[in-house]
Amino acid sequence: MEIGLVTDALVDHDFDSLLKTCTELRLQQLEFSCGNYTSGKFFQVDRMLEDQKHRDERISKIKDYNFKISAISCHGNPLAPGEYGKAHDGVIRKTIKLASILKLDKVILLSGCAAGPGDINPNWIVSCWPPEKLKILEWQWNEVLIPYWKDVSTYAEGLGVKLCFELHGGDMVYNAPTTHRVRDQVSKNIGANLDPSHVMWMGGDPIQMAKDLDEALFYVHIKDTTINHSKAGLNTLMETTWFADVEKRSWNFSTPGHGHDETWWSQFLLAVRSVGYEDVLSIEHEDTMMSRKEGVKKAVELLERVLFSEKANFVWGKDKADQLFDIWIKDIPDKEKSKIKK
């Protein structure tokens, strides 16, 4: 495993100072946004596609600093009705094309959230009551999400690019069951980008989710969530207070170690390794109580203490079992040995 960064964390830097700062922070891989909800400051997708000289210069500088590009991203809502959804769809398709040109095999994005029949705004269904909600939810899946992502996934797979849905509240694919559903009904070319912070504020267990996702775990973001229990007791975790009003919110994004301790993060990394994930741990800094650089620095320091930098290679093979058996059996009376061996 290697430590990476969602470079939007340092959007206050220019491109050259970004690379210098990431070197100082001992990062190894970088993830770049290409637009939609974020500006795509460092990788403006249209320019990266159309201006080969600019694209080559960017990639050359990244290589000069010995960084790998872990993935590119385009978080948005292509399932939204009208021009808004169409605009996000356009950026998604361009980002997939750019990933192919750059020989990257992953794009990080959101599943999006559809409106209900005849509605003009997205509608995230999170309750089975009143009963019409389940009818709306099935309509959203069957009439909007499945057809749309079948088309986009076919396009991406043809270019050798996997789609990593960030499991995020407000989107239709937000947990393990919805991930399995979209893979079963759309494509195995779609998997999860697991950001534990979102699972935490939705009330789930990221460790159990990682294990359940298994081969559907394509990518990992690193971010923590701190629960303000006094506010959660009043507000619940379904929070609509804006992020800047930290003291009024029931939960807030935080730097790893400030919501869950180092032991928890060690267990989380064991869980993702247990399903075969050995790829990047991409830090996403959104802690409003800490500066951008200090937040990333503290996240790196925690990960350096708990991550696995080498692949596991100790195996309990049969030869080892035979050695232990021979040691154990030597003190057993001869008349009993044949029974044990049998």
Side-chain angles (χ1 to χ4, degrees):
M1 295 179 183
E2 293 187 340
I3 303 174
L5 179 70
V6 178
T7 53
D8 289 337
L10 299 176
V11 74
D12 57 336
H13 289 49
D14 60 33
F15 189 65
D16 289 324
S17 63
L18 166 76
L19 297 176
K20 291 176 183 177
T21 298
C22 289
T23 299
E24 293 170 8
L25 292 168
R26 301 187 299 280
L27 293 159
Q28 297 159 293
Q29 300 197 35
L30 302 178
E31 174 187 333
F32 292 94
S33 165
C34 293
N36 279 339
Y37 288 145
T38 63
S39 65
K41 176 179 178 178
F42 303 119
F43 271 34
Q44 295 178 353
V45 69
D46 286 332
R47 189 175 181 191
M48 289 289 287
L49 284 172
E50 297 166 4
D51 187 341
Q52 183 176 345
K53 181 180 178 183
H54 169 76
R55 183 174 70 239
D56 290 346
E57 287 173 351
R58 293 260 136 155
I59 300 306
S60 178
K61 282 189 177 182
I62 292 167
K63 289 180 178 178
D64 287 345
Y65 279 87
N66 295 315
F67 290 120
K68 302 174 192 172
I69 301 175
S70 59
I72 53 179
S73 68
C74 52
H75 295 73
N77 186 4
L79 306 186
E83 294 304 312
Y84 186 80
K86 290 179 182 177
H88 283 201
D89 168 65
V91 173
I92 286 170
R93 293 176 190 272
K94 289 176 183 178
T95 303
I96 292 168
K97 183 178 179 180
L98 178 60
S100 175
I101 291 171
L102 298 178
K103 295 181 169 49
L104 301 172
D105 66 349
K106 298 183 187 72
V107 166
I108 316 302
L109 66 177
L110 300 167
S111 71
C113 184
D119 292 345
I120 62 172
N121 290 302
N123 186 358
W124 188 38
I125 304 295
V126 291
S127 171
C128 62
W129 183 263
E132 60 265 25
K133 290 194 173 182
L134 289 182
K135 293 181 180 179
I136 295 170
L137 181 61
E138 286 307 301
W139 185 90
Q140 289 175 319
W141 272 85
N142 295 327
E143 301 300 323
V144 184
L145 185 146
I146 290 173
Y148 174 80
W149 284 113
K150 275 188 176 181
D151 179 49
V152 175
S153 181
T154 299
Y155 172 65
E157 192 167 6
L159 293 175
V161 178
K162 294 180 180 179
L163 303 178
C164 309
F165 284 175
E166 184 160 346
L167 306 186
H168 197 295
D171 289 271
M172 291 174 62
V173 179
Y174 62 93
N175 60 12
T178 51
T179 301
H180 294 312
R181 180 176 181 180
V182 78
R183 284 168 55 80
D184 290 341
Q185 297 184 4
V186 177
S187 172
K188 293 295 194 289
N189 193 54
I190 296 172
N193 166 34
L194 181 58
D195 180 333
S197 69
H198 301 305
V199 181
M200 293 167 184
W201 74 254
M202 288 189 286
D205 183 340
I207 292 173
Q208 295 306 315
M209 194 170 292
K211 294 176 180 179
D212 185 84
L213 287 169
D214 197 19
E215 65 182 9
L217 180 61
F218 282 9
Y219 200 80
V220 174
H221 272 174
I222 298 294
K223 186 165 83 260
D224 211 338
T225 289
T226 300
I227 306 297
N228 182 340
H229 292 283
S230 63
K231 292 298 181 183
L234 304 176
N235 302 356
T236 77
L237 294 178
M238 306 306 291
E239 184 59 84
T240 58
T241 304
W242 186 242
F243 294 110
D245 294 328
V246 174
E247 295 303 318
K248 296 179 182 179
R249 288 176 52 84
S250 57
W251 59 268
N252 293 282
F253 293 129
S254 56
T255 300
H258 288 244
H260 293 71
D261 64 18
E262 196 168 301
T263 298
W264 186 92
W265 283 98
S266 178
Q267 292 171 344
F268 174 70
L269 296 189
L270 280 170
V272 301
R273 167 167 273 199
S274 74
V275 298
Y277 187 86
E278 297 283 356
D279 209 336
V280 67
L281 305 171
S282 192
I283 297 166
E284 185 176 27
H285 175 76
E286 293 180 341
D287 188 336
T288 58
M289 301 298 289
M290 200 172 296
S291 75
R292 296 171 183 272
K293 185 174 179 180
E294 184 178 17
V296 176
K297 180 175 182 290
K298 288 184 178 295
V300 170
E301 289 170 349
L302 182 144
L303 288 176
E304 286 178 335
R305 292 193 295 271
V306 300
L307 66 69
F308 309 100
S309 58
E310 298 180 6
K311 290 186 177 182
N313 59 10
F314 183 87
V315 179
W316 283 93
K318 188 177 182 300
D319 56 339
K320 184 70 174 180
D322 289 342
Q323 291 174 18
L324 294 172
F325 180 81
D326 291 340
I327 293 171
W328 172 73
I329 204 173
K330 69 179 182 180
D331 293 325
I332 303 295
D334 289 340
K335 64 180 180 178
E336 298 295 328
K337 287 182 180 179
S338 60
K339 297 179 183 178
I340 293 170
K341 287 182 177 180
K342 184 178 180 180

